[in-house]
PDB file of all heavy atoms in Angstrom:
ATOM      1  N   ALA A 135      26.291  47.460 -34.619  1.00 90.00           N
ATOM      2  CA  ALA A 135      26.266  46.072 -34.208  1.00 90.00           C
ATOM      3  C   ALA A 135      25.456  45.142 -35.246  1.00 90.00           C
ATOM      4  O   ALA A 135      25.875  43.980 -35.499  1.00 90.00           O
ATOM      5  CB  ALA A 135      25.544  45.939 -32.745  1.00 90.00           C
ATOM      6  N   GLN A 136      24.358  45.756 -35.857  1.00 90.00           N
ATOM      7  CA  GLN A 136      23.566  44.860 -36.741  1.00 90.00           C
ATOM      8  C   GLN A 136      24.459  44.459 -37.882  1.00 90.00           C
ATOM      9  O   GLN A 136      24.283  43.227 -38.260  1.00 90.00           O
ATOM     10  CB  GLN A 136      22.370  45.820 -37.145  1.00 90.00           C
ATOM     11  CG  GLN A 136      21.277  44.956 -37.807  1.00 90.00           C
ATOM     12  CD  GLN A 136      20.324  45.907 -38.456  1.00 90.00           C
ATOM     13  OE1 GLN A 136      20.440  47.096 -38.446  1.00 90.00           O
ATOM     14  NE2 GLN A 136      19.293  45.248 -39.091  1.00 90.00           N
ATOM     15  N   THR A 137      25.198  45.299 -38.498  1.00 89.00           N
ATOM     16  CA  THR A 137      26.004  44.912 -39.602  1.00 89.00           C
ATOM     17  C   THR A 137      26.921  43.799 -39.326  1.00 89.00           C
ATOM     18  O   THR A 137      27.130  42.919 -40.061  1.00 89.00           O
ATOM     19  CB  THR A 137      26.908  46.122 -40.215  1.00 89.00           C
ATOM     20  OG1 THR A 137      26.398  47.251 -39.486  1.00 89.00           O
ATOM     21  CG2 THR A 137      26.659  46.238 -41.616  1.00 89.00           C
ATOM     22  N   LEU A 138      27.552  43.953 -38.130  1.00 89.00           N
ATOM     23  CA  LEU A 138      28.474  42.892 -37.659  1.00 89.00           C
ATOM     24  C   LEU A 138      27.713  41.524 -37.498  1.00 89.00           C
ATOM     25  O   LEU A 138      28.360  40.537 -37.907  1.00 89.00           O
ATOM     26  CB  LEU A 138      29.124  43.305 -36.383  1.00 89.00           C
ATOM     27  CG  LEU A 138      30.361  44.030 -36.462  1.00 89.00           C
ATOM     28  CD1 LEU A 138      31.012  44.384 -35.121  1.00 89.00           C
ATOM     29  CD2 LEU A 138      31.436  43.315 -37.298  1.00 89.00           C
ATOM     30  N   LEU A 139      26.650  41.592 -36.881  1.00 89.00           N
ATOM     31  CA  LEU A 139      26.003  40.340 -36.647  1.00 89.00           C
ATOM     32  C   LEU A 139      25.523  39.692 -37.929  1.00 89.00           C
ATOM     33  O   LEU A 139      25.515  38.382 -38.071  1.00 89.00           O
ATOM     34  CB  LEU A 139      24.672  40.517 -35.897  1.00 89.00           C
ATOM     35  CG  LEU A 139      24.921  40.941 -34.394  1.00 89.00           C
ATOM     36  CD1 LEU A 139      23.557  41.045 -33.670  1.00 89.00           C
ATOM     37  CD2 LEU A 139      25.789  39.989 -33.664  1.00 89.00           C
ATOM     38  N   LYS A 140      25.098  40.490 -38.928  1.00 88.00           N
ATOM     39  CA  LYS A 140      24.626  39.942 -40.273  1.00 88.00           C
ATOM     40  C   LYS A 140      25.730  39.447 -41.166  1.00 88.00           C
ATOM     41  O   LYS A 140      25.504  38.661 -41.934  1.00 88.00           O
ATOM     42  CB  LYS A 140      23.876  41.055 -41.053  1.00 88.00           C
ATOM     43  CG  LYS A 140      22.528  41.285 -40.537  1.00 88.00           C
ATOM     44  CD  LYS A 140      21.576  41.958 -41.488  1.00 88.00           C
ATOM     45  CE  LYS A 140      20.198  41.887 -40.967  1.00 88.00           C
ATOM     46  NZ  LYS A 140      19.426  43.028 -41.605  1.00 88.00           N
ATOM     47  N   GLN A 141      26.885  39.921 -40.886  1.00 86.00           N
ATOM     48  CA  GLN A 141      28.103  39.470 -41.690  1.00 86.00           C
ATOM     49  C   GLN A 141      28.587  38.224 -41.229  1.00 86.00           C
ATOM     50  O   GLN A 141      29.223  38.078 -40.223  1.00 86.00           O
ATOM     51  CB  GLN A 141      29.145  40.551 -41.529  1.00 86.00           C
ATOM     52  CG  GLN A 141      30.507  40.270 -42.083  1.00 86.00           C
ATOM     53  CD  GLN A 141      30.521  40.426 -43.675  1.00 86.00           C
ATOM     54  OE1 GLN A 141      30.123  41.487 -44.207  1.00 86.00           O
ATOM     55  NE2 GLN A 141      30.932  39.398 -44.313  1.00 86.00           N
ATOM     56  N   PRO A 142      28.518  37.086 -42.021  1.00 84.00           N
ATOM     57  CA  PRO A 142      29.087  35.849 -41.665  1.00 84.00           C
ATOM     58  C   PRO A 142      30.607  35.926 -41.753  1.00 84.00           C
ATOM     59  O   PRO A 142      31.085  36.518 -42.835  1.00 84.00           O
ATOM     60  CB  PRO A 142      28.426  34.779 -42.482  1.00 84.00           C
ATOM     61  CG  PRO A 142      27.981  35.480 -43.666  1.00 84.00           C
ATOM     62  CD  PRO A 142      27.776  36.976 -43.312  1.00 84.00           C
ATOM     63  N   VAL A 143      31.319  35.400 -40.832  1.00 84.00           N
ATOM     64  CA  VAL A 143      32.807  35.451 -41.016  1.00 84.00           C
ATOM     65  C   VAL A 143      33.206  34.108 -41.748  1.00 84.00           C
ATOM     66  O   VAL A 143      32.757  33.059 -41.617  1.00 84.00           O
ATOM     67  CB  VAL A 143      33.475  35.392 -39.538  1.00 84.00           C
ATOM     68  CG1 VAL A 143      34.975  35.309 -39.765  1.00 84.00           C
ATOM     69  CG2 VAL A 143      32.963  36.471 -38.748  1.00 84.00           C
ATOM     70  N   ALA A 144      34.026  34.355 -42.800  1.00 82.00           N
ATOM     71  CA  ALA A 144      34.311  33.417 -43.856  1.00 82.00           C
ATOM     72  C   ALA A 144      34.991  32.122 -43.181  1.00 82.00           C
ATOM     73  O   ALA A 144      34.686  31.047 -43.527  1.00 82.00           O
ATOM     74  CB  ALA A 144      35.367  33.934 -44.854  1.00 82.00           C
ATOM     75  N   SER A 145      35.787  32.240 -42.032  1.00 81.00           N
ATOM     76  CA  SER A 145      36.489  31.161 -41.523  1.00 81.00           C
ATOM     77  C   SER A 145      35.696  30.404 -40.421  1.00 81.00           C
ATOM     78  O   SER A 145      36.211  29.344 -39.980  1.00 81.00           O
ATOM     79  CB  SER A 145      37.779  31.650 -40.896  1.00 81.00           C
ATOM     80  OG  SER A 145      37.476  32.632 -39.847  1.00 81.00           O
ATOM     81  N   GLU A 146      34.612  30.890 -40.089  1.00 80.00           N
ATOM     82  CA  GLU A 146      33.869  30.211 -38.994  1.00 80.00           C
ATOM     83  C   GLU A 146      33.002  29.085 -39.441  1.00 80.00           C
ATOM     84  O   GLU A 146      32.381  29.124 -40.569  1.00 80.00           O
ATOM     85  CB  GLU A 146      33.123  31.183 -38.094  1.00 80.00           C
ATOM     86  CG  GLU A 146      31.869  31.788 -38.728  1.00 80.00           C
ATOM     87  CD  GLU A 146      31.175  32.855 -37.937  1.00 80.00           C
ATOM     88  OE1 GLU A 146      31.792  33.189 -36.876  1.00 80.00           O
ATOM     89  OE2 GLU A 146      30.263  33.219 -38.386  1.00 80.00           O
ATOM     90  N   ARG A 147      32.885  28.025 -38.778  1.00 78.00           N
ATOM     91  CA  ARG A 147      32.067  26.953 -39.209  1.00 78.00           C
ATOM     92  C   ARG A 147      30.846  26.755 -38.336  1.00 78.00           C
ATOM     93  O   ARG A 147      29.909  26.013 -38.679  1.00 78.00           O
ATOM     94  CB  ARG A 147      32.934  25.547 -38.935  1.00 78.00           C
ATOM     95  CG  ARG A 147      34.158  25.550 -39.843  1.00 78.00           C
ATOM     96  CD  ARG A 147      34.963  24.345 -39.600  1.00 78.00           C
ATOM     97  NE  ARG A 147      34.112  23.134 -40.096  1.00 78.00           N
ATOM     98  CZ  ARG A 147      34.517  21.937 -39.562  1.00 78.00           C
ATOM     99  NH1 ARG A 147      35.578  21.682 -38.783  1.00 78.00           N
ATOM    100  NH2 ARG A 147      33.750  20.929 -39.981  1.00 78.00           N
ATOM    101  N   LEU A 148      30.790  27.565 -37.299  1.00 80.00           N
ATOM    102  CA  LEU A 148      29.557  27.693 -36.486  1.00 80.00           C
ATOM    103  C   LEU A 148      29.252  29.157 -36.286  1.00 80.00           C
ATOM    104  O   LEU A 148      30.130  30.022 -36.256  1.00 80.00           O
ATOM    105  CB  LEU A 148      29.736  27.116 -35.113  1.00 80.00           C
ATOM    106  CG  LEU A 148      30.057  25.547 -34.970  1.00 80.00           C
ATOM    107  CD1 LEU A 148      30.505  25.320 -33.536  1.00 80.00           C
ATOM    108  CD2 LEU A 148      28.933  24.774 -35.234  1.00 80.00           C
ATOM    109  N   PRO A 149      27.962  29.525 -36.395  1.00 81.00           N
ATOM    110  CA  PRO A 149      27.729  30.966 -36.391  1.00 81.00           C
ATOM    111  C   PRO A 149      28.263  31.599 -35.055  1.00 81.00           C
ATOM    112  O   PRO A 149      27.937  31.125 -34.071  1.00 81.00           O
ATOM    113  CB  PRO A 149      26.197  31.105 -36.449  1.00 81.00           C
ATOM    114  CG  PRO A 149      25.718  29.727 -36.371  1.00 81.00           C
ATOM    115  CD  PRO A 149      26.788  28.784 -36.694  1.00 81.00           C
ATOM    116  N   GLY A 150      29.024  32.611 -35.333  1.00 82.00           N
ATOM    117  CA  GLY A 150      29.513  33.478 -34.136  1.00 82.00           C
ATOM    118  C   GLY A 150      30.794  32.916 -33.591  1.00 82.00           C
ATOM    119  O   GLY A 150      31.371  33.498 -32.671  1.00 82.00           O
ATOM    120  N   ASN A 151      31.180  31.785 -33.956  1.00 84.00           N
ATOM    121  CA  ASN A 151      32.271  30.990 -33.297  1.00 84.00           C
ATOM    122  C   ASN A 151      33.525  31.829 -33.477  1.00 84.00           C
ATOM    123  O   ASN A 151      34.362  31.805 -32.592  1.00 84.00           O
ATOM    124  CB  ASN A 151      32.423  29.609 -33.897  1.00 84.00           C
ATOM    125  CG  ASN A 151      33.233  28.817 -33.076  1.00 84.00           C
ATOM    126  OD1 ASN A 151      33.210  28.863 -31.838  1.00 84.00           O
ATOM    127  ND2 ASN A 151      34.096  27.971 -33.694  1.00 84.00           N
ATOM    128  N   ALA A 152      33.794  32.602 -34.480  1.00 87.00           N
ATOM    129  CA  ALA A 152      34.968  33.271 -34.658  1.00 87.00           C
ATOM    130  C   ALA A 152      35.213  34.304 -33.494  1.00 87.00           C
ATOM    131  O   ALA A 152      36.297  34.517 -33.070  1.00 87.00           O
ATOM    132  CB  ALA A 152      34.945  34.076 -36.130  1.00 87.00           C
ATOM    133  N   TYR A 153      34.143  34.893 -33.146  1.00 88.00           N
ATOM    134  CA  TYR A 153      34.259  35.977 -32.085  1.00 88.00           C
ATOM    135  C   TYR A 153      34.607  35.219 -30.816  1.00 88.00           C
ATOM    136  O   TYR A 153      35.416  35.698 -29.951  1.00 88.00           O
ATOM    137  CB  TYR A 153      32.885  36.699 -31.923  1.00 88.00           C
ATOM    138  CG  TYR A 153      32.669  37.641 -33.082  1.00 88.00           C
ATOM    139  CD1 TYR A 153      31.574  37.250 -33.932  1.00 88.00           C
ATOM    140  CD2 TYR A 153      33.472  38.577 -33.507  1.00 88.00           C
ATOM    141  CE1 TYR A 153      31.224  38.070 -34.898  1.00 88.00           C
ATOM    142  CE2 TYR A 153      33.169  39.459 -34.638  1.00 88.00           C
ATOM    143  CZ  TYR A 153      32.032  39.011 -35.312  1.00 88.00           C
ATOM    144  OH  TYR A 153      31.815  39.914 -36.467  1.00 88.00           O
ATOM    145  N   PHE A 154      33.939  34.024 -30.482  1.00 88.00           N
ATOM    146  CA  PHE A 154      34.221  33.390 -29.361  1.00 88.00           C
ATOM    147  C   PHE A 154      35.696  33.007 -29.232  1.00 88.00           C
ATOM    148  O   PHE A 154      36.356  33.124 -28.197  1.00 88.00           O
ATOM    149  CB  PHE A 154      33.417  32.174 -29.126  1.00 88.00           C
ATOM    150  CG  PHE A 154      31.947  32.390 -29.399  1.00 88.00           C
ATOM    151  CD1 PHE A 154      31.150  31.334 -29.786  1.00 88.00           C
ATOM    152  CD2 PHE A 154      31.291  33.637 -29.301  1.00 88.00           C
ATOM    153  CE1 PHE A 154      29.824  31.500 -30.097  1.00 88.00           C
ATOM    154  CE2 PHE A 154      30.020  33.789 -29.605  1.00 88.00           C
ATOM    155  CZ  PHE A 154      29.218  32.807 -29.928  1.00 88.00           C
ATOM    156  N   LEU A 155      36.252  32.521 -30.360  1.00 87.00           N
ATOM    157  CA  LEU A 155      37.692  32.092 -30.400  1.00 87.00           C
ATOM    158  C   LEU A 155      38.555  33.250 -30.124  1.00 87.00           C
ATOM    159  O   LEU A 155      39.619  33.114 -29.443  1.00 87.00           O
ATOM    160  CB  LEU A 155      38.022  31.370 -31.757  1.00 87.00           C
ATOM    161  CG  LEU A 155      37.555  30.085 -31.966  1.00 87.00           C
ATOM    162  CD1 LEU A 155      37.969  29.541 -33.265  1.00 87.00           C
ATOM    163  CD2 LEU A 155      38.193  29.064 -30.916  1.00 87.00           C
ATOM    164  N   THR A 156      38.203  34.353 -30.793  1.00 88.00           N
ATOM    165  CA  THR A 156      38.995  35.667 -30.622  1.00 88.00           C
ATOM    166  C   THR A 156      39.049  36.072 -29.173  1.00 88.00           C
ATOM    167  O   THR A 156      40.190  36.369 -28.608  1.00 88.00           O
ATOM    168  CB  THR A 156      38.458  36.657 -31.543  1.00 88.00           C
ATOM    169  OG1 THR A 156      38.225  36.179 -32.818  1.00 88.00           O
ATOM    170  CG2 THR A 156      39.418  37.837 -31.520  1.00 88.00           C
TER     171      THR A 156
END
Side-chain angles (χ1 to χ4, degrees):
Chain A
Q136 193 190 0
T137 352
L138 269 183
L139 292 186
K140 281 197 168 161
Q141 170 77 54
V143 180
S145 61
E146 70 188 4
R147 298 180 62 200
L148 301 163
N151 198 34
Y153 296 115
F154 313 155
L155 281 179
T156 308

